[in-house]
Amino acid sequence: MLPRYLLRETLSLYLLGVLLFVGLITFDLLSSLSGAFLRARTPVSEIATLVAYRVPHTLGIALPLGLVFALLVALARWIRQSELKAAYAAGVPPIRFIAPVLLLSALVGGVVFLNEGWIKPIAQERFEALQYKIYYGSEPSGVLTDRTYAPQGLGVYYAQRIYPNPQGQEGSRLEGLRVVEPDGSIWSAELGSWVNGAWRLENAYRVDPSGRIHLESSHPLPFPVGVQPKGVSYEAMRLPELSAVARADPAAAFPLARRYANAVGTVVLAWLAAVIGLSLREAAWAFIAVVGLIFGYWTLFTFSAQLARFDLWSAYGAWLPNLVYGGLALLGTWRLAR
């Protein structure tokens, strides 16, 4: 009965918490882009469209943080009105409130994962295109960097740099090539060329699924005429596409791991929030806990991105905030169970 009562209290505050964080994040977005809006004399309709495209990204942050807010505010009210103390006096152990919170956070985490994998990338691609238009008007020509292709039935093609066709010559120069064929074979080459219907790899080596390595001085790989790369970030790739890209582009491994870590982080954050809320004796500390939890998680979140930037911990760094907060939640749960 009491665990269900806690869930009802939490859900009644959850929408307020989500709207609070959506408002804060949206205000921050508008503030950061206000200069560009004024310089480009952006119409209000385009600004509204840009904000709408950003909503899935905003919800990816607001859904977990809103749950933390709702849990700690609900428990603060219980502490202030001595309901939590009465429950403990009646012999209800604090540990009984943890399982319902984990169940609720798992449901929210499932929504976050769906949003991270499919909904947010669609909106993010449109957001980036409109933002680029506001800043620059159109995509500049020249050297393309970190471009990934996934031609139907041909695997994944990745080039670190693609140089435009030299005047009077046919084909583009390629650097930093990596191709994953449908059977799992991986081609790698430092240099190559892009001519109609093929990528030609120079001094390439191929690692087949069994692990054997084959060297070739020049090898063409079929590539459909007219296929163009998407000039979008990893955030704008849907989960299956990003998973395929990560097989050819090592830099995509961290964004891919972060998608899963963000969904799991919803559960970890709510778990630690519940543990802290159930351990408090003064209601005022609940509001301090909201700020502390969010600030601490965000610090670890940005720190893990820096680790990935300098190729430390690779994709495992995406799980750093969850490992730290999960360890604290386990320790707190053990103390509540004693």
Side-chain angles (χ1 to χ4, degrees):
M1 181 66 71
L2 282 173
R4 287 199 298 270
Y5 179 39
L6 175 60
L7 289 182
R8 286 198 302 270
E9 289 272 306
T10 301
L11 289 173
S12 66
L13 293 163
Y14 186 40
L15 179 60
L16 174 62
V18 171
L19 291 176
L20 172 65
F21 286 106
V22 166
L24 290 172
I25 297 167
T26 302
F27 180 77
D28 179 67
L29 171 68
L30 293 174
S31 298
S32 63
L33 296 179
S34 59
F37 293 152
L38 293 172
R39 183 177 63 251
R41 298 181 181 178
T42 308
V44 175
S45 59
E46 283 195 1
I47 296 175
T49 302
L50 194 73
V51 171
Y53 287 155
R54 196 62 168 175
V55 166
H57 173 88
T58 302
L59 285 176
I61 302 171
L63 289 173
L65 299 188
L67 188 56
V68 171
F69 171 85
L71 277 167
L72 286 171
V73 171
L75 289 170
R77 193 190 69 78
W78 279 25
I79 295 169
R80 188 170 57 252
Q81 298 182 2
S82 300
E83 293 186 42
L84 196 59
K85 188 181 295 184
Y88 293 163
V92 179
I95 197 72
R96 281 193 56 190
F97 297 102
I98 300 295
V101 169
L102 292 178
L103 177 60
L104 175 60
S105 61
L107 293 174
V108 176
V111 176
V112 170
F113 182 69
L114 177 64
N115 179 63
E116 289 278 334
W118 289 269
I119 300 173
K120 187 174 82 172
I122 296 173
Q124 182 68 20
E125 182 175 358
R126 297 173 182 175
F127 173 84
E128 290 176 2
L130 182 54
Q131 184 185 31
Y132 204 99
K133 176 187 173 185
I134 292 171
Y135 269 91
Y136 306 109
S138 61
E139 186 174 355
S141 59
V143 178
L144 304 178
T145 59
D146 295 322
R147 295 298 167 122
T148 304
Y149 304 71
Q152 184 66 33
L154 295 178
V156 180
Y157 288 60
Y158 167 76
Q160 191 175 34
R161 282 178 293 276
I162 302 175
Y163 293 87
N165 297 3
Q167 190 170 8
Q169 298 184 26
E170 182 182 3
S172 301
R173 183 161 59 92
L174 307 173
E175 291 184 358
L177 304 174
R178 190 176 177 87
V179 178
V180 181
E181 295 184 299
D183 66 355
S185 300
I186 301 175
W187 286 93
S188 298
E190 289 298 321
L191 299 173
S193 59
W194 181 358
V195 295
N196 288 338
W199 277 21
R200 183 171 294 278
L201 280 60
E202 307 297 336
N203 297 319
Y205 62 91
R206 173 180 181 267
V207 181
D208 62 25
S210 66
R212 289 184 298 178
I213 299 176
H214 307 272
L215 303 177
E216 295 200 28
S217 59
S218 180
H219 184 84
L221 289 170
F223 195 88
V225 177
V227 172
Q228 295 296 325
K230 290 183 178 180
V232 297
S233 67
Y234 296 126
E235 282 191 45
M237 295 181 182
R238 298 175 204 181
L239 187 63
E241 182 183 3
L242 183 59
S243 299
V245 168
R247 297 169 61 191
D249 180 7
F254 180 81
L256 177 62
R258 175 150 278 182
R259 300 253 179 121
Y260 293 96
N262 287 348
V264 174
T266 304
V267 179
V268 173
L269 269 169
W271 182 12
L272 185 56
V275 168
I276 291 175
L278 292 168
S279 305
L280 297 177
R281 293 296 176 263
E282 297 292 336
W285 285 103
F287 297 96
I288 298 174
V290 171
V291 176
L293 274 174
I294 294 172
F295 177 77
Y297 196 87
W298 183 253
T299 300
L300 292 171
F301 187 87
T302 53
F303 178 64
S304 64
Q306 291 301 311
L307 291 177
R309 180 183 176 187
F310 293 101
D311 200 23
L312 300 172
W313 283 21
S314 186
Y316 300 109
W319 296 94
L320 177 63
N322 293 339
L323 290 173
V324 174
Y325 272 45
L328 293 174
L330 275 173
L331 177 61
T333 303
W334 174 75
R335 292 187 63 184
L336 287 175
R338 287 195 306 172

